Amino acid sequence: MNRARILALALSFAIASPALADTYAAISKTAMAITGDIEFDDFGITFENGKQIVFDELVGDTFVVGGETVNGSVYSVSEPKDPVLLNGNRLCGEPVTYVASWGDADTTTVAVFSTQDVPQSDADMCASYTYE
């Protein structure tokens, strides 16, 4: 096989390969009790028990936490729901419509919302979970 064909074959595998989600270990008491460890990417969240929330689209790239604007991601949820997770616990208590995430080099926080409008801050969250 010539070099061009090998390169084309390698590129086709790279393009066709699905993106892998990042795995996060639950570290807050709420995350350990409710979600467990998660897999999170731009398409959704998979919880430790296998339940999922699928995102519709990225609707924001900054978010206000404790009065300070931080870099983060705010996603709308394609099909609002409140899945039963670990120990029979629910994620929010109401169908989740938006998910926000932000963090630093050590931790990532995921907040869930049941609001009709795109959340701008952590003031309207129904729950938050922390991971590393």
Side-chain angles (χ1 to χ4, degrees):
M1 227 183 257
N2 66 25
R3 178 181 259 175
R5 290 183 79 193
I6 292 172
L7 180 60
L9 183 61
L11 285 173
S12 69
F13 283 123
I15 292 169
S17 297
L20 297 177
D22 291 325
T23 300
Y24 294 95
I27 59 171
S28 66
K29 287 182 181 181
T30 53
M32 288 187 281
I34 297 173
T35 68
D37 297 346
I38 62 170
E39 291 184 359
F40 189 105
D41 62 21
D42 288 338
F43 304 103
I45 304 172
T46 301
F47 302 99
E48 188 169 301
N49 70 349
K51 300 284 178 144
Q52 295 181 318
I53 285 187
V54 177
F55 300 149
D56 185 38
E57 64 180 314
L58 179 67
V59 295
D61 59 6
T62 60
F63 192 69
V64 176
V65 178
E68 304 267 334
T69 300
V70 299
N71 291 325
S73 300
V74 181
Y75 299 93
S76 60
V77 174
S78 66
E79 183 181 321
K81 59 183 166 180
D82 190 24
V84 176
L85 300 174
L86 299 180
N87 305 308
N89 291 310
R90 292 197 176 265
L91 187 59
C92 177
E94 299 178 52
V96 173
T97 53
Y98 294 94
V99 174
S101 69
W102 65 92
D104 57 29
D106 299 319
T107 63
T108 296
T109 300
V110 175
V112 292
F113 300 82
S114 61
T115 58
Q116 184 174 12
D117 296 327
V118 176
Q120 302 298 312
S121 77
D122 61 349
D124 295 324
M125 67 184 179
C126 58
S128 68
Y129 305 93
T130 307
Y131 307 90
E132 63 179 3

